[in-house]
Amino acid sequence: MNIIACYKWVLDEQDIKITAGSLTLDTSRAKGKISEYDKNAIEEAVVQAEGCGVEVISLTFGGSKAKQSLKDALSRGPAKGYWVNDAAADRADGYVTANVLAAAIRKIGDYGLVLFGEGSADTYGQQVGPRVATLLEIPAITFVSQFKIEGDTVTAIRKLENCTEQISAKLPVVITVLPEINKPRIPSLKQVLGAAKKSAQEWKVTDLGLDTQALEPKTKVKSIQGFVMKRKNQIYKAGTVEEKVEAFVTALNKDGVL
C-alpha cells in the first residue's frame, strides 16, 4: 500500500511585513512555499518508501496559487501528486481541510500510511492530521520523532512535553511528524527537471462528493495583527560589576521574571 504525504501551500513568513501603526499584515509581496513542517512529512514519506518498496503520493488542498507547489513537491521524491483546487481553501479551517483531504484520500485509495507535519506554518492548528484519521476511521499517532514499518505494523516514538512514548499500530495509520525527524532534501536540478515529467492530477471539490456543510468552516478569522515586542532597554552603568548584577536581578524579580 502506498504512502500519502499531505502538505499545505503557505505564504513565506519572511516576506510578510507589519504595517506600522495599525499592525496589519502586508502580504502583497509575499511568495508562496510548502510549509516547512510539511517538507519533513514529504521527506519522511520518501525515506520510508525507499525501505518498503512502495510509492509516495503527494496531496494538497489549495486555491489557484497552490498549483506552483506541485513541481516543488514532486521534485522532493513523490512519484505523483494530487491537487484539490478550490477557492474555499483560502478560508478553510481544520474542519474543512480535513473533510477535503479525507475525501481525496478515499478517492486515491490503496494507502497504508498518511503523513502530515505536526502543524502548518501559518495557522499551526495541529488539527488536520487527527481529524483526517477520525474521518478515515484509522489510528493516529501524533508528534512523532521517529518510526519504522515492519510488515503491517508501524512502531513510533512520540515526543511529549516531559517524556517520550512508544506506540505500535496496524496499518493503515495517520502520522504527524516533528521537524527533528529528518532534514528535508534540497532538490537537485535533475530532480526539479524530472518533476515536470511526473503525473500531477487536479481535482475540484465537486469531484469528491462533499456536501456544502462539509465546506463550511467552524471557525472564521476576522482579522490578523502582527506582534511587536516592546523592550525596556535598561542599561546599568553605575557601581561595580557586583552592584550592576544585583540591580539587574532585582529588576527581574520586580517584573516577575525570576
Side-chain angles (χ1 to χ4, degrees):
M1 294 187 287
N2 299 316
I3 300 176
I4 299 177
C6 300
Y7 69 90
K8 186 176 183 181
W9 186 248
V10 300
L11 294 178
D12 191 332
E13 58 274 8
Q14 295 183 5
D15 297 334
I16 299 175
K17 306 298 181 183
I18 299 176
T19 304
S22 65
L23 298 183
T24 56
L25 302 185
D26 180 6
T27 61
S28 59
R29 297 186 178 182
K31 298 179 181 178
K33 68 174 185 178
I34 294 175
S35 171
E36 294 298 324
Y37 301 104
D38 294 336
K39 290 178 182 178
N40 295 108
I42 296 173
E43 177 67 21
E44 193 60 27
V46 173
V47 170
Q48 294 290 337
E50 289 170 352
C52 301
V54 298
E55 192 171 71
V56 176
I57 298 169
S58 63
L59 172 63
T60 190
F61 170 45
S64 58
K65 292 181 180 179
K67 185 175 183 178
Q68 305 169 53
S69 72
L70 300 177
K71 188 175 181 180
D72 187 9
L74 292 173
S75 71
R76 297 176 182 276
K80 57 185 174 183
Y82 290 88
W83 164 40
V84 182
N85 177 16
D86 198 282
D90 295 334
R91 59 185 183 87
D93 60 357
Y95 168 78
V96 172
T97 302
N99 287 336
V100 172
L101 292 180
I105 291 169
R106 289 194 198 97
K107 189 175 178 69
I108 293 171
D110 193 27
Y111 61 89
L113 190 63
V114 183
L115 292 183
F116 292 85
E118 63 170 322
S120 61
D122 49 5
T123 59
Y124 197 65
Q126 300 178 305
Q127 292 188 29
V128 176
R131 281 182 177 273
V132 167
T134 300
L135 292 167
L136 296 177
E137 299 182 331
I138 60 176
I141 309 177
T142 55
F143 307 113
V144 172
S145 58
Q146 64 181 80
F147 71 91
K148 61 180 179 180
I149 301 172
E150 294 179 321
D152 64 347
T153 301
V154 58
T155 301
I157 302 296
R158 299 182 69 221
K159 188 173 182 180
L160 306 178
E161 186 174 350
N162 56 0
C163 67
T164 58
E165 181 179 64
Q166 180 173 306
I167 291 182
S168 295
K170 296 290 185 181
L171 298 174
V173 177
V174 166
I175 290 181
T176 68
V177 300
L178 296 173
E180 65 193 63
I181 197 168
N182 58 45
K183 183 177 181 180
R185 69 192 67 190
I186 298 175
S188 65
L189 178 59
K190 182 179 180 180
Q191 290 171 321
V192 172
L193 295 175
K197 301 178 182 178
K198 294 181 180 180
S199 171
Q201 186 166 349
E202 176 185 348
W203 285 336
K204 298 293 185 181
V205 167
T206 51
D207 297 326
L208 303 178
L210 294 171
D211 57 30
T212 55
Q213 185 178 358
L215 301 176
E216 187 61 34
K218 297 295 183 181
T219 58
K220 298 180 181 179
V221 178
K222 292 185 176 180
S223 65
I224 300 178
Q225 287 189 318
F227 175 76
V228 178
M229 182 180 291
K230 295 181 180 180
R231 303 180 184 274
K232 290 188 175 182
N233 296 320
Q234 292 183 345
I235 301 175
Y236 300 91
K237 294 182 178 180
T240 63
V241 172
E242 290 78 8
E243 290 171 338
K244 293 176 185 177
V245 172
E246 183 178 355
F248 176 58
V249 172
T250 300
L252 292 178
N253 277 315
K254 185 177 179 181
D255 289 343
V257 177
L258 297 178

